Amino acid sequence: MAISTVNTQVTVWRGNDASGNIWASYRNGPPYRLTGQTFDAPVVVPWGAGGFAMFHTGVDNVIYWQTSNSGTENSWSGWVPVRGPDGVAQTTPFGVSAANFGVGHERQLYLAYRSNDNRANIFGAFFDGVRWTNGVNLGGVTGYSPAVTFNVAAQTLYIVHTGVSGEIFYSASRYGSHPGPWFGLGGVVYSRPSIASLDNGRMQIAARGTNDRAWWLELGPYGSVYRDWQEDSSHVDAFNSSYILVVAILNTVVAYARASAGGYIYTKNTWNGQ
């Protein structure tokens, strides 16, 4: 789910069946089906003046993307592979994560994904508003998808991933460069992470713990731990979603997760940055 620069909203998801169909909704209106099939969660981020960019991993493991100037049905440009100057389509066995660079750079994006081989490294690609760079190996080893956010207050890009031991790691870089070395944040989780940043620069990382409960960690704008890992005890049922999704909506972090009992999607406001 994403909010555009003019406060319109688009939500995108994979159908709850074996079809792999991709669905979207504009301003919480009636769902509409998009073309293409995926085996993992698609993602959407703000793009341009009031528009959106959407990504999914196809059943051929190719990363596809499309844009819309509004987010309404029939306004999308159509799926094309993410390709750098070398012409090679970027691939991954999992879903991807994307971030927009904010005011002044509304058409620029960063894409984070896991390599499509047994090295299991994290890769990043930058879209400068016209074209994509080739994928860059950022190191790290993970069995899941990484997650990325752009911290507007610090003008810093953050990528997080779950290491092979279950610990969460992060890497950061100032605008215009690829993230540098990885730093451990502790924790033992059983899913890919997600990360959201607020206007004041504080960030929340979410993941599913080994007890299938949601766990949170908060960071300051420059990567220092603001509040260490804590379990969310407000939901009594276990979660079986592949990850706990957190997004920043109107300067509040909102979480989404699927419960084991009944398969229902639950959501809650998790943090206001204080």
Side-chain angles (χ1 to χ4, degrees), residues 66-233:
Q66 63 177 347
T67 60
S68 166
N69 289 327
S70 65
T72 56
E73 187 176 5
N74 300 320
S75 68
W76 295 93
S77 61
W79 298 110
V80 293
V82 172
R83 299 182 189 272
D86 63 8
V88 176
Q90 303 302 305
T91 60
T92 181
F94 302 127
V96 302
S97 182
N100 181 279
F101 283 96
V103 176
H105 309 284
E106 292 91 345
R107 293 176 65 89
Q108 297 181 357
L109 304 168
Y110 199 88
L111 184 69
Y113 55 98
R114 207 207 79 164
S115 63
N116 192 31
D117 55 33
N118 57 13
R119 293 177 301 170
N121 295 143
I122 292 90
F123 271 66
F126 173 67
F127 183 74
D128 65 4
V130 178
R131 62 183 60 85
W132 288 97
T133 64
N134 296 327
V136 173
N137 191 335
L138 305 176
V141 178
T142 185
Y144 304 94
S145 303
V148 62
T149 189
F150 184 68
N151 190 305
V152 175
Q155 289 292 290
T156 300
L157 188 77
Y158 285 88
I159 297 181
V160 294
H161 79 272
T162 303
V164 293
S165 65
E167 182 179 3
I168 297 293
F169 291 84
Y170 85 90
S171 181
S173 67
R174 299 285 288 174
Y175 169 78
S177 61
H178 292 282
W182 296 98
F183 300 94
L185 292 171
V188 179
V189 303
Y190 191 57
S191 75
R192 72 204 225 189
S194 63
I195 183 170
S197 56
L198 298 170
D199 289 347
N200 65 5
R202 291 174 181 163
M203 299 172 285
Q204 185 176 71
I205 297 172
R208 180 164 59 100
T210 54
N211 60 356
D212 289 335
R213 299 291 181 87
W215 287 76
W216 325 107
L217 178 140
E218 278 99 35
L219 298 176
Y222 300 101
S224 60
V225 175
Y226 180 78
R227 187 176 291 114
D228 210 346
W229 289 105
Q230 53 188 330
E231 180 184 355
D232 188 328
S233 58

